[in-house]
């Protein structure tokens, strides 16, 4: 049985994740250009795939930030309690 509430009410550091994604995107784009310029197509493709993955992640992070305090609460928003399923025979967080 759990004694804490963290897994149910954990918050993600979305702004930090956004910054790291931008940093990774810059390096992946630079790597793709460098490997194309030096004639290493395999590494260029690998970096290009990484650019796509990072861009999708960045888009999701920005979307979650824009959805408001439910996904990115500020310091002044207290943690919310998880939804409890009170139907008989159902097991949920208690």
């Amino acid at each position: 049985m759990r004694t804490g509430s963290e897994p149910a009410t954990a918050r993600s550091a979305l702004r930090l994740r956004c910054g790291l994604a931008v940093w990774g995107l810059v390096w992946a784009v630079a790597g793709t250009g460098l490997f194309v310029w030096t004639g290493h197509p395999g590494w260029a493709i690998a970096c290009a795939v990484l650019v796509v993955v990072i861009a999708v992640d960045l888009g999701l992070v920005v979307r979650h930030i824009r959805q408001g305090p439910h996904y990115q609460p500020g310091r002044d928003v207290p943690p919310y309690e998880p939804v409890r399923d009170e139907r008989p025979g159902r097991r949920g967080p208690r």
Side-chain angles (χ1 to χ4, degrees):
M1 176 169 244
R2 264 185 11 184
T3 58
S5 65
E6 259 319 299
T9 60
R11 298 177 181 183
S12 175
L14 291 176
R15 287 180 182 86
L16 175 64
R17 191 169 152 198
C18 182
L20 291 173
V22 169
W23 180 253
L25 188 65
V26 167
W27 278 102
V29 167
T32 302
L34 181 68
F35 286 125
V36 165
W37 185 55
T38 59
H40 293 90
W43 285 105
I45 291 171
C47 283
V49 168
L50 192 57
V51 165
V52 170
V53 170
I54 294 170
V56 168
D57 180 53
L58 186 60
L60 289 174
V61 169
V62 169
R63 178 176 171 248
H64 283 171
I65 288 172
R66 289 185 178 175
Q67 283 180 339
H70 179 73
Y71 289 97
Q72 183 60 31
R75 295 181 199 276
D76 57 335
V77 178
Y80 54 90
E81 290 297 319
V83 176
R84 298 184 189 279
D85 192 359
E86 299 296 333
R87 292 181 282 179
R90 304 277 292 173
R91 299 181 81 184
R94 302 204 189 264

